[in-house]
């Protein structure tokens, strides 16, 4: 897969487990591992929604091109563009290691930024993964484009919570 673009597709749900860890779903874990070349998930606050964004290390190599494109668009439209501010947003991520089973500890600061408690919903969206407190995603229920993700999240949450009750 070397040299090819990385795309994240699929969903998953995780309850907070022993040792204060969540589990990166296997459907997304393989792609993160391929992108990073090791078991590292990059996490940051999503700029517009109250959720996190996750990606592999190869995405970092695209940041400067992204900044150049945004600068060109702003220049063409005659709008101001603060490259440093945008770069700060892009480069403010944390590298979070995960084990072979996908278990990782979510940094407290990131959890606070996205209002995350003891549940996570993961949604692959192409270049990255959105990672949600399900309640924050449900608040966006009036957006028809998010309806599918919301319903998948609800179903996954119900299944995981039912499984946890049996233990």
């Amino acid at each position: 897969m070397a040299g090819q673009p990385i795309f994240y597709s699929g969903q998953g749900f995780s309850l907070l487990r022993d040792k204060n860890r969540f589990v990166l779903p296997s459907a997304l874990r393989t792609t993160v591992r391929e992108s990073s070349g090791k078991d590292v998930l990059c996490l940051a606050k999503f700029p517009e929604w109250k959720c996190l964004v996750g990606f592999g290390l190869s995405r970092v190599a695209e940041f400067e091109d992204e900044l150049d494109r945004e600068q060109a668009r702003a220049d063409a439209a005659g709008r101001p563009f603060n490259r440093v501010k945008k770069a700060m947003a892009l480069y403010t991520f944390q590298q979070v290691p995960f084990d072979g089973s996908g278990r990782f500890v979510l940094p407290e600061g990131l959890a606070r930024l996205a209002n995350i408690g003891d549940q996570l919903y993961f949604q692959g969206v192409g270049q990255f993964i959105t990672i949600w407190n399900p309640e924050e995603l449900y608040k966006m229920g009036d957006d028809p484009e998010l309806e599918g993700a919301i319903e998948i999240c609800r179903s996954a949450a119900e299944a995981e919570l039912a499984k946890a009750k049996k233990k």
Side-chain angles (χ1 to χ4, degrees):
M1 190 145 187
Q4 295 182 9
I6 300 287
F7 296 104
Y8 299 96
S9 177
Q11 308 83 21
F13 188 89
S14 178
L15 295 172
L16 187 62
R17 299 177 189 267
D18 64 319
K19 299 181 185 175
N20 209 31
R21 297 181 295 187
F22 288 102
V23 176
L24 180 62
S26 60
L28 299 166
R29 185 180 328 140
T30 301
T31 309
V32 171
R33 188 176 282 132
E34 288 173 3
S35 172
S36 291
K38 54 186 175 179
D39 291 352
V40 170
L41 173 65
C42 299
L43 293 173
K45 170 70 174 71
F46 190 82
E48 297 172 33
W49 297 331
K50 196 156 191 79
C51 69
L52 300 178
V53 59
F55 51 89
L57 288 167
S58 68
R59 172 115 171 80
V60 177
E62 302 167 8
F63 287 174
E64 290 304 314
D65 288 340
E66 187 173 328
L67 289 165
D68 291 342
R69 284 190 303 274
E70 289 195 35
Q71 179 76 62
R73 279 195 298 270
D75 291 348
R79 288 183 286 113
F81 179 71
N82 186 329
R83 188 179 180 102
V84 173
K85 183 178 175 183
K86 180 62 179 181
M88 185 177 249
L90 285 174
Y91 286 98
T92 301
F93 64 88
Q94 290 184 263
Q95 293 184 34
V96 178
F98 57 91
D99 68 14
S101 298
R103 294 174 296 208
F104 68 95
V105 175
L106 182 64
E108 283 185 38
L110 288 171
R112 279 192 302 272
L113 285 171
N115 196 29
I116 292 172
D118 61 356
Q119 299 179 14
L120 285 183
Y121 173 68
F122 300 82
Q123 175 69 56
V125 294
Q127 291 185 327
F128 51 87
I129 305 161
T130 56
I131 304 166
W132 298 85
N133 168 344
E135 294 302 321
E136 292 297 330
L137 180 58
Y138 301 157
K139 289 177 186 177
M140 301 181 73
D142 59 345
D143 186 335
E145 292 181 295
L146 296 176
E147 195 172 39
I150 290 168
E151 194 49 45
I152 291 169
C153 178
R154 279 191 210 285
S155 296
E158 289 169 3
E160 283 296 314
L161 291 167
K163 221 187 314 183
K165 281 184 182 177
K166 290 181 181 178
K167 290 183 178 181

